[in-house]
Amino acid sequence: MSVNGEYLLRCQGVTKTFGGLTALEDISIDLPPGEILCVIGPNGAGKSTLFNLLTGIFRPTSGKIDFQGRSLIGKPAHRIVGLGIARTFQNSRLFGDMSVLDNVLIGMHSRTRGNVLAAVFRPGLIRRRLAEAAATAGSLLKAVSTELFDKRYQPASTLPQADRRRLEIARALASEPRLLLLDEPSAGMDDRETETLIEDIRKVQAGRPEMAVIVIEHDMHLAAKLPDRVTVFDHGRQIATGLFEEIREVREVQEAYLGK
Ligand SMILES: Nc1ncnc2c1ncn2[C@@H]1O[C@H](COP(=O)(O)OP(=O)(O)OP(=O)(O)O)[C@@H](O)[C@H]1O
Ligand SMILES: [Mg+2]
């Protein structure tokens, strides 16, 4: 499952407190390349906090986070993107006035910036680079959804909710991540749209077999169908990890999440 015996991501005993509140307590995750893991749990369970720890927004109070064998702790967020971790946010962070294509180009910023001298003395080179970047952005959109590609010149604000979520995934992919983090991508989607999203995520992952994906979800339908494994958080504690069929049998999970 792992490359050279290494996990892509390994979290061991990760705890995060905010003053007196323990948002996450003793979380452990071993994620091999290519796996799709779903994190589920009720409101306030600590799911988004996990992503904030993995992307350098917060620093864990204790515990270890290793990515490709190196510790992420203390690394600033921009360095972590460079190492290969990209995310989407629970609340959409698109630039509404900009086109769909431009929103993806922004995600490619680190790979497209040229220096000022080159812009002055070699404008042809810069133009060529921009054209290449636009072509790459277009193919990223296509990889996520051809429907979205067809809307590439529209302002992002004109997209329906489901397309906005898809666009955020395309933008996250623009940094060529080894680990893709999706925070409630199906929020605001109906069942049919969620079904399409499941297919889109599968397709994107299949096109990058080494890339692992962690999806935070409220939607049990998605958790049942998409991931290889599921881990369940409740009040900051990790109460079960395994196949969906396994975790749904755990009494604590039923009490905490399924409302039985
Ligand atoms: N920056 C912060 N400062 C203080 N408390 C925080 C901070 N971020 C999160 N928390 C608290 O940590 C707990 C976990 O929050 P988190 O956002 O991770 O939950 P979640 O599982 O993503 O919930 P939801 O399903 O509502 O998105 C909550 O009690 C929240 O209020
Ligand atoms: Mg959240």
Side-chain angles (χ1 to χ4, degrees):
M1 286 287 264
S2 57
V3 169
N4 304 324
E6 291 288 339
Y7 288 101
L8 181 65
L9 176 75
R10 175 155 243 210
C11 301
Q12 292 173 286
V14 173
T15 294
K16 176 66 187 171
T17 60
F18 296 104
L21 178 108
T22 303
L24 279 181
E25 189 176 359
D26 197 20
I27 302 299
S28 294
I29 292 172
D30 284 334
L31 190 71
E35 181 168 297
I36 300 180
L37 175 74
C38 200
V39 179
I40 62 171
N43 288 112
K47 305 180 299 294
S48 296
T49 299
L50 174 71
F51 279 10
N52 288 332
L53 292 170
L54 294 178
T55 54
I57 293 176
F58 299 149
R59 192 190 173 106
T61 308
S62 59
K64 294 205 264 184
I65 303 176
D66 293 332
F67 180 68
Q68 297 188 288
R70 284 150 70 189
S71 176
L72 291 184
I73 293 173
K75 293 215 167 40
H78 70 272
R79 281 264 293 129
I80 291 179
V81 176
L83 290 173
I85 301 182
R87 76 180 290 181
T88 65
F89 290 88
Q90 192 164 355
N91 303 309
S92 172
R93 296 195 177 182
L94 295 172
F95 295 94
D97 294 339
M98 293 171 66
S99 73
V100 167
L101 193 71
D102 284 345
N103 269 279
V104 179
L105 280 165
I106 283 179
M108 293 168 62
H109 170 73
S110 58
R111 296 196 292 134
T112 52
R113 69 177 167 229
N115 72 46
V116 176
L117 285 179
V120 173
F121 293 108
R122 303 191 63 193
L125 174 74
I126 297 293
R127 261 201 303 277
R128 232 174 13 253
R129 280 205 193 136
L130 282 173
E132 280 165 18
T136 306
S139 54
L140 283 166
L141 282 169
K142 242 189 234 166
V144 175
S145 151
T146 49
E147 255 173 63
L148 192 56
F149 175 76
D150 293 340
K151 298 175 183 170
R152 66 194 177 282
Y153 299 123
Q154 290 184 21
S157 60
T158 62
L159 296 177
Q161 180 67 16
D163 278 341
R164 286 181 200 212
R165 295 274 168 194
R166 279 197 269 271
L167 173 53
E168 288 189 69
I169 296 173
R171 185 171 65 181
L173 287 172
S175 66
E176 297 190 344
R178 302 282 319 271
L179 173 60
L180 177 65
L181 307 175
L182 307 177
D183 197 343
E184 298 204 29
S186 79
M189 291 188 183
D190 62 27
D191 284 354
R192 197 183 49 81
E193 289 168 333
T194 303
E195 200 63 45
T196 309
L197 177 76
I198 291 172
E199 277 160 32
D200 290 343
I201 295 173
R202 279 234 186 82
K203 191 180 62 181
V204 160
Q205 199 283 326
R208 297 153 191 258
E210 285 294 294
M211 183 179 77
V213 186
I214 305 181
V215 188
I216 290 176
E217 261 309 323
H218 254 122
D219 189 315
M220 290 309 266
H221 176 68
L222 187 144
K225 288 193 140 178
L226 172 68
D228 298 308
R229 283 188 307 154
V230 180
T231 190
V232 189
F233 291 3
D234 182 37
H235 290 100
R237 291 182 316 116
Q238 189 172 26
I239 58 176
T241 302
L243 302 175
F244 182 80
E245 292 71 31
E246 293 164 356
I247 61 102
R248 77 168 173 200
E249 299 303 326
V250 176
R251 190 176 49 82
E252 247 182 320
V253 175
Q254 294 176 352
E255 285 169 4
Y257 195 66
L258 303 173
K260 282 190 197 162

